Amino acid sequence: MSQDRTEPSSERATRGALMGAEVAEQPDVWARLLDRADQPDGELAAAAALIGRRRPRFVQFVARGTSDHAALYAKYFAEIVLQLPCGLVSPSTMTAYGAEPDLTDVLMIGVSQSGGSPDLVTTLERARAQGALTVAVTNNPTSALAQAAEAQIDIAVGPEKAVAATKSYTGQLLALYLLLDRVRGGDGAAARRLPEWGTALLGRDDDVAELAQRYRFASRLVTTARGYSYPTASEAALKLMETCYLSAQAFSGADLLHGPLAMIDPQVPVLTVVGDGIGGRAMGQVLPRLSELGADVFCVGTPDAVAAATVGIALPDGVAEEVSPLLEILPFQQLARHLALFRGGDPDAPRGLKKVTETL
């Protein structure tokens, strides 16, 4: 899949143009969503009020693919901030096996860019019939998933034409943060500067393109992080697999220190997320071990963490850990796009993939 180094940059720019535009659009998407979140009679306020009245004792999230990583982020938030037990639903238990669990006092949140996956729709419908309070987070307010839920939040990121989800992912992250923060009585203050920070971080696209060259001939790599950043590692691995056709495995930093560490060597790049917070500090156990093994470490994180890695991109100062994942994923989206182009692929339309995958 490697391409000739002499290919004109103008030809590379044609491929991947959709993904590039959608990555760049994200700060504007966030600004619009933040404005809508301030509306006292908006759907986000209504959903938060409904959750507050029902006072669920357990939260379940149902999603697939990229949206599953957004749901995993929300699971961390709900467990840490709302201090509610949470779980990620296996849709097949209801759709294929016909399970009908008692879901009284359960909040089930369905997360889907299209809102059209039959297994997610069926799961939300059956959960509602079994007593759950159901909420849909989608980019399509008229979708079957939105109609199946008692409340829905439209992330309103606009059409996403590239197959690889970018702006819809961070739109989901922000919508879930704003919803759950409002449930705890917050005003979304930690997210207010995200459009500003995101614009500055995306301005380093040329730096990321240069770094992408070093991984042009990689056949496999590992991504790792802890806490709120672990979903970022999972989403980064997915973006690299679907756009660059390489094997990418995501591990919690804690899990990496067990058996998977044995596969790390100088030929297996490791992409790490080391933000400013508890999860980032927990990665302090991981980084020295990677160094001992001679790993090539690409780090998105604090300036100190980046300085200790092989290469990396530093995050802005002052970002709260609970909203940092919206920024952390941006360099990885850029990396996936540039690496796909250098390897001769088209990240707008990866082979064999469709924008919406229907599962039963």
Side-chain angles (χ1 to χ4, degrees):
M1 286 302 299
S2 62
Q3 84 177 46
D4 192 300
R5 292 179 184 273
T6 62
E7 180 192 33
S9 59
S10 59
E11 292 185 24
R12 289 202 306 271
T14 301
R15 293 179 289 111
L18 292 176
M19 184 179 178
E22 289 165 359
V23 168
E25 189 183 343
Q26 289 173 102
D28 291 336
V29 166
W30 303 345
R32 293 196 302 267
L33 190 50
L34 286 165
D35 286 342
R36 288 175 50 233
D38 289 333
Q39 299 173 6
D41 57 349
E43 58 191 22
L44 197 145
L50 179 59
I51 294 169
R53 289 194 299 271
R54 293 281 289 270
R55 301 185 66 180
R57 296 295 304 150
F58 194 92
V59 186
Q60 288 191 314
F61 297 92
V62 59
R64 292 286 194 194
T66 285
S67 298
D68 203 33
H69 302 149
L72 179 58
Y73 159 79
K75 179 179 180 291
Y76 272 93
F77 189 95
E79 288 179 331
I80 295 168
V81 175
L82 301 183
Q83 298 190 32
L84 290 174
C86 299
L88 297 175
V89 176
S90 300
S92 61
T93 60
M94 295 187 191
T95 60
Y97 291 92
E100 296 182 346
D102 182 354
L103 298 177
T104 304
D105 296 330
V106 170
L107 166 63
M108 185 177 289
I109 300 179
V111 188
S112 170
Q113 186 272 335
S114 69
S117 297
D119 59 343
L120 303 188
V121 175
T122 299
T123 298
L124 221 61
E125 290 173 340
R126 293 188 180 178
R128 187 171 179 178
Q130 293 300 115
L133 167 60
T134 53
V135 177
V137 177
T138 81
N139 193 34
N140 183 356
T142 64
S143 65
L145 190 73
Q147 300 305 309
E150 292 173 69
Q152 67 98 9
I153 297 170
D154 177 13
I155 62 174
V157 303
E160 190 172 54
K161 297 179 181 179
V163 169
T166 54
K167 64 178 182 176
S168 64
Y169 174 65
T170 58
Q172 290 170 345
L173 292 180
L174 184 54
L176 288 162
Y177 163 75
L178 292 169
L179 172 65
L180 298 176
D181 182 62
R182 188 178 284 261
V183 169
R184 73 164 167 181
D187 61 0
R192 296 301 169 183
R193 293 184 62 190
L194 283 173
E196 169 196 342
W197 287 325
T199 298
L201 193 57
L202 289 171
R204 300 198 59 185
D205 187 62
D206 288 344
D207 296 333
V208 176
E210 183 176 348
L211 294 175
Q213 291 269 20
R214 69 187 296 115
Y215 306 118
R216 184 177 170 193
F217 299 107
S219 60
R220 60 192 178 104
L221 54 79
V222 166
T223 67
T224 184
R226 292 199 67 180
Y228 285 110
S229 299
Y230 175 47
T232 304
S234 299
E235 175 62 9
L238 177 59
K239 285 285 112 27
L240 288 159
M241 284 189 284
E242 67 183 346
T243 60
C244 302
Y245 318 139
L246 52 74
S247 174
Q249 294 176 277
F251 296 98
S252 157
D255 289 333
L256 182 64
L257 291 179
H258 292 79
L261 193 68
M263 70 177 176
I264 303 299
D265 62 37
Q267 305 306 312
V268 181
V270 182
L271 312 186
T272 64
V273 189
V274 187
D276 185 12
I278 293 172
R281 290 193 292 275
M283 285 293 290
Q285 297 177 287
V286 180
L287 300 180
R289 299 295 304 277
L290 295 176
S291 179
E292 291 170 8
L293 294 169
D296 182 307
V297 178
F298 178 106
C299 178
V300 172
T302 65
D304 286 346
V306 171
T310 311
V311 294
I313 298 292
L315 295 169
D317 292 330
V319 182
E321 184 177 12
E322 61 195 34
V323 298
S324 185
L326 279 94
L327 300 173
E328 295 163 359
I329 192 60
L330 300 182
F332 292 115
Q333 292 173 342
Q334 293 174 317
L335 178 69
R337 175 175 176 270
H338 287 298
L339 185 56
L341 295 176
F342 286 128
R343 292 164 69 95
D346 183 356
D348 288 343
R351 63 180 184 231
L353 296 181
K354 298 179 180 178
K355 185 63 182 172
V356 179
T357 301
E358 295 189 357
T359 52
L360 297 176

